[in-house]
Amino acid sequence: MSKYFAKLKAPKGQVVPPLLARFAKWLAKQEYGTFGTFELISSPVPGELRDAWCFLSLPEGSLLALVSTVAPAPVVLFASESDALKVVAPSLEAFLLALGAGKTRLDDLDEGDDRDALRVWLANEKVKAPKPAKFNVKAYQRDAAPAPVESEGVKKLPPLPRGLVALLGRKVSDTKLPAELKKLKLPAKLPKTGGKLQDKKRGITVSVGRNGVISEVHLGEKYDGPLAFKLPSGVNDFTATKLLGKPTGTLKKKDGGKVWEKVLDAERGLYFSRSRGHFDWWSEHRFFLKTK
């Protein structure tokens, strides 16, 4: 039978704990599946959360990571079907002891009934679980997500459009989102997946995609605030062409009309567009997230 795969390399600024390094060396000589199906392999942390690194991969795509913000470092689960983190064990030692007992509460790790060799190894290593540190996994996930780096195109936007663009790509499950909406004087009640948040008085509509991510901010007829690329409020086609260049397309509707589309941040897929139907008196503008 094949052996367990075990190859670990901590990310820059982190180190593989000596106990984990010894476990990996021992594990690589054991028959795969004897006490759970998994691989010890370093992987990027989902969502680019800081101060954590993944060391174990499960067959269905979930990952286990060590969080170095506290000592001892807790072991958390990045489940493949959920965005929420889950604490698996308060420390690496506690996790290995649970693995030896077949009581990690993770099916892939708890399958297999021949754990004698692992328990002997743990005993020889004199592994004992240290006193757990105070750790709030929800607070960690909320605070450890890095803020997106703004491109020069976004930085040049006036304050209101810049704040609206900052909403793009945010999930409605983000606990910080209501405060951001309040700063923009938008309704703080978050829309459901596939829904819309509207400020009818100012002509601002925030749309949420089916994946629960804010995908578009539409500026309609009543919007008279600042725009992008130095476009004045109520800008006509002549001025739009002067500032944005030639139209990049036409509206896909009966009365047609010109469309100008400009990139704000190519790496993040952030775009700005202006359009006006042949028989419309007003222009429509939107900031949107273009998926690849």
Side-chain angles (χ1 to χ4, degrees):
M1 293 182 65
S2 60
K3 306 295 184 181
Y4 279 97
F5 182 84
K7 187 175 182 180
L8 295 173
K9 182 179 179 181
K12 187 176 181 179
Q14 305 261 9
V15 295
V16 178
L19 175 61
L20 183 57
R22 295 194 299 273
F23 176 65
K25 185 177 180 179
W26 175 82
L27 182 72
K29 300 176 182 178
Q30 309 305 310
E31 291 187 357
Y32 184 79
T34 305
F35 40 85
T37 53
F38 62 93
E39 293 182 341
L40 285 189
I41 183 171
S42 304
S43 308
V45 173
E48 298 181 353
L49 296 183
R50 295 186 291 263
D51 303 317
W53 64 283
C54 296
F55 69 94
L56 187 150
S57 175
L58 297 174
E60 38 75 29
S62 295
L63 301 168
L64 295 190
L66 286 168
V67 179
S68 61
T69 53
V70 294
V75 176
V76 298
L77 171 73
F78 289 87
S80 58
E81 72 281 359
S82 173
D83 293 327
L85 297 183
K86 175 185 176 182
V87 175
V88 175
S91 64
L92 174 62
E93 291 86 350
F95 168 70
L96 292 177
L97 289 170
L99 183 65
K103 296 181 179 180
T104 66
R105 294 174 295 177
L106 297 174
D107 292 341
D108 288 321
L109 297 182
D110 292 342
E111 65 181 22
D113 55 5
D114 187 6
R115 298 173 187 264
D116 291 343
L118 176 55
R119 285 193 283 265
V120 169
W121 183 86
L122 291 169
N124 290 337
E125 287 286 330
K126 299 180 181 180
V127 176
K128 293 183 179 180
K131 182 180 179 181
K134 292 182 179 180
F135 177 69
N136 186 314
V137 68
K138 291 183 178 180
Y140 164 72
Q141 188 170 19
R142 181 186 67 238
D143 298 336
V149 178
E150 287 187 322
S151 67
E152 290 302 314
V154 173
K155 288 180 180 179
K156 291 178 180 178
L157 293 173
L160 178 56
R162 188 173 176 180
L164 293 173
V165 168
L167 299 176
L168 296 173
R170 301 281 291 275
K171 293 188 176 183
V172 291
S173 59
D174 189 339
T175 56
K176 293 182 179 180
L177 194 53
E180 299 299 323
L181 294 172
K182 186 176 181 180
K183 288 181 182 178
L184 296 169
K185 298 181 180 180
L186 291 170
K189 187 176 180 180
L190 297 173
K192 296 180 180 179
T193 296
K196 298 181 184 295
L197 183 155
Q198 292 184 310
D199 182 338
K200 295 181 178 180
K201 187 176 181 180
R202 291 191 292 166
I204 301 174
T205 301
V206 178
S207 299
V208 179
R210 292 181 178 179
N211 56 356
V213 173
I214 296 176
S215 57
E216 179 180 313
V217 177
H218 179 267
L219 308 176
E221 179 183 2
K222 294 184 179 181
Y223 181 81
D224 62 357
L227 297 167
F229 300 101
K230 299 182 180 180
L231 289 174
S233 179
V235 61
N236 57 32
D237 288 359
F238 175 80
T239 304
T241 301
K242 186 176 180 180
L243 294 173
L244 301 178
K246 295 181 180 180
T248 55
T250 57
L251 290 174
K252 295 180 180 179
K253 61 182 184 179
K254 187 177 181 180
D255 56 351
K258 299 174 181 178
V259 176
W260 288 260
E261 188 175 290
K262 299 281 286 185
V263 63
L264 286 168
D265 188 332
E267 186 174 345
R268 294 174 59 201
L270 302 180
Y271 286 75
F272 168 79
S273 74
R274 176 193 184 268
S275 63
R276 186 174 67 84
H278 288 312
F279 306 107
D280 293 336
W281 289 99
W282 65 90
S283 300
E284 294 192 5
H285 303 88
R286 66 188 186 115
F287 298 103
F288 64 99
L289 194 64
K290 182 182 287 189
T291 55
K292 298 180 181 180

